[in-house]
Amino acid sequence: MIVFKKAAGIARFIAKKKESGSTIGFVPTMGALHPGHISLINISKKKDDITVSSLFVNPTQFNDKRDFEKYPSTIATDIDMLEKAGCDALFLPDVNEMYPDGTKNERQYDLGYLETILEGKFRPGHFQGVCQAVHRLLTIIYANRLYLGQKDYQQCLVLQKMISITHLKTEIVICPTLREKDGLALSSRNMRLNEAERKEAVKISETLSFIKKELKTGYLEDLKERARQYLTAEGFKVDYVEIANAATLEPIENNDGKTPLVALIAAFVNDVRLIDNMLLKE
Ligand code: AMP
């Protein structure tokens, strides 16, 4: 695997590969890699000729400075994991290389209501930062396909919108969430959980399964409220429990039994904020 620290270097590498007819699959990450990230690399390797990853903890998408400062960093292990997975190239920029004109986001992406709900509501500015970083990355690594995890459901919709606004030609491939045996979604933030918190954290995915099992047509508020109350009683600080249209993420109050739905949860176990989601009808 070739590691590039400079944008010009990896852009040249990509251009050469494209000239020789290869397709490029791209997996952006913030490092602290786990098998969930590697599952995206594996899917890219099946679909595209060349797989490129990036590792950059993007400061502009953290609305909470402490969360940024505590974000785990395991660069040597990450490089080793990517190498073993057969990733062809890694872009490992520092903040000046990513943002040569400074981190201030001059461009505002018109994300519409997507930015005002769920993660957008609880993490103001987060999605503007995500768009800024991925837009910049895609202008350096002009990929045919961008591989994203369903784990960050709203992020997939936001980046779809960013790509359509900016007229980039990259196609998004949404990949399934990899979970621990007990159902906990793999996440870099899980590294911050102690043993007791780790046991606690599984209740998020259990609650999503509970919602899936209990889902009926008609009003959904009661089901959402039961889920919220359960998590609160178990000691979580719940940001949201929502059931939404799987295509648009508009919150659904009344289930017509036909619209594909997704349940989404964001909750803190002590000071670690975890998110997860589950499609209720595939
Ligand atoms: P992150 O490093 O958290 O920004 O994640 C990089 C990419 O990996 C994003 O597209 C995530 O949605 C994806 N990802 C994170 N966790 C998982 C998981 N458990 N399974 C599959 N993909 C994941």
Side-chain angles (χ1 to χ4, degrees):
M1 182 175 72
I2 314 173
V3 180
F4 294 92
K5 294 198 167 175
K6 299 288 174 204
I10 193 154
R12 256 196 314 275
F13 171 83
I14 302 288
K16 262 200 199 144
K17 292 292 174 193
K18 285 197 136 179
E19 265 164 39
S20 63
S22 298
T23 65
I24 310 291
F26 178 39
V27 181
T29 82
M30 297 206 300
L33 299 188
H34 52 65
H37 295 111
I38 299 303
S39 72
L40 269 52
I41 300 282
N42 292 338
I43 296 172
S44 168
K45 280 181 65 68
K46 280 203 189 114
K47 265 187 166 299
D48 281 304
D49 302 320
I50 298 290
T51 292
V52 178
S53 188
S54 63
L55 197 167
F56 178 65
V57 186
N58 175 33
T60 71
Q61 72 185 68
F62 285 84
N63 54 312
D64 177 352
K65 201 164 160 271
R66 269 182 325 162
D67 189 28
F68 174 59
E69 281 158 6
K70 287 190 181 166
Y71 203 82
S73 173
T74 56
I75 294 177
T77 324
D78 293 347
I79 292 176
D80 198 43
M81 283 171 80
L82 288 169
E83 180 102 58
K84 287 206 174 91
C87 181
D88 298 290
L90 170 66
F91 184 41
L92 185 64
D94 64 17
V95 75
N96 295 322
E97 196 61 22
M98 259 305 268
Y99 300 124
D101 302 324
T103 51
K104 193 166 179 297
N105 196 358
E106 298 298 346
R107 177 171 186 159
Q108 285 294 303
Y109 299 86
D110 181 10
L111 302 173
Y113 77 95
L114 261 183
E115 204 177 4
T116 66
I117 55 168
L118 305 168
E119 291 302 284
K121 179 173 166 195
F122 285 90
R123 302 185 66 188
H126 168 64
F127 285 130
Q128 290 296 328
V130 169
C131 287
Q132 180 192 17
V134 178
H135 187 190
R136 166 85 177 128
L137 286 168
L138 283 176
T139 56
I140 301 166
I141 300 159
Y142 197 30
N144 299 78
R145 271 169 286 272
L146 174 66
Y147 294 87
L148 301 172
Q150 189 204 310
K151 159 84 170 39
D152 297 280
Y153 199 94
Q154 192 172 4
Q155 175 167 276
C156 297
L157 268 63
V158 161
L159 290 176
Q160 190 64 69
K161 180 118 198 197
M162 182 277 285
I163 282 176
S164 90
I165 293 170
T166 55
H167 306 293
L168 288 168
K169 299 261 177 316
T170 304
E171 176 199 335
I172 286 183
V173 180
I174 301 178
C175 308
T177 302
L178 207 73
R179 296 176 180 282
E180 302 278 7
K181 274 208 184 79
D182 64 1
L184 175 69
L186 297 190
S187 164
S188 307
R189 286 188 174 82
N190 294 352
M191 289 180 193
R192 291 180 48 205
L193 302 171
N194 65 30
E195 206 180 317
E197 291 165 341
R198 166 64 187 83
K199 273 195 188 143
E200 186 73 7
V202 73
K203 290 172 184 156
I204 294 178
S205 60
E206 285 174 0
T207 304
L208 290 167
S209 301
F210 167 79
I211 292 174
K212 186 166 183 161
K213 191 164 93 6
E214 293 291 310
L215 184 78
K216 299 192 176 61
T217 51
Y219 284 96
L220 296 173
E221 189 47 40
D222 183 51
L223 179 57
K224 287 188 239 178
E225 191 51 32
R226 272 155 68 203
R228 248 178 246 133
Q229 278 179 12
Y230 167 73
L231 287 172
T232 307
E234 292 293 327
F236 290 87
K237 183 180 135 342
V238 178
D239 271 356
Y240 57 81
V241 172
E242 193 52 88
I243 300 174
N245 181 316
T248 64
L249 272 188
E250 272 169 301
I252 298 285
E253 283 172 17
N254 194 352
N255 176 20
D256 62 12
K258 289 189 271 259
T259 310
L261 300 176
V262 59
L264 308 106
I265 293 178
F268 285 86
V269 190
N270 294 328
D271 68 341
V272 184
R273 187 174 185 276
L274 300 175
I275 61 169
D276 197 0
N277 66 81
M278 198 172 276
L279 287 166
L280 301 179
K281 276 175 237 145
E282 308 288 332

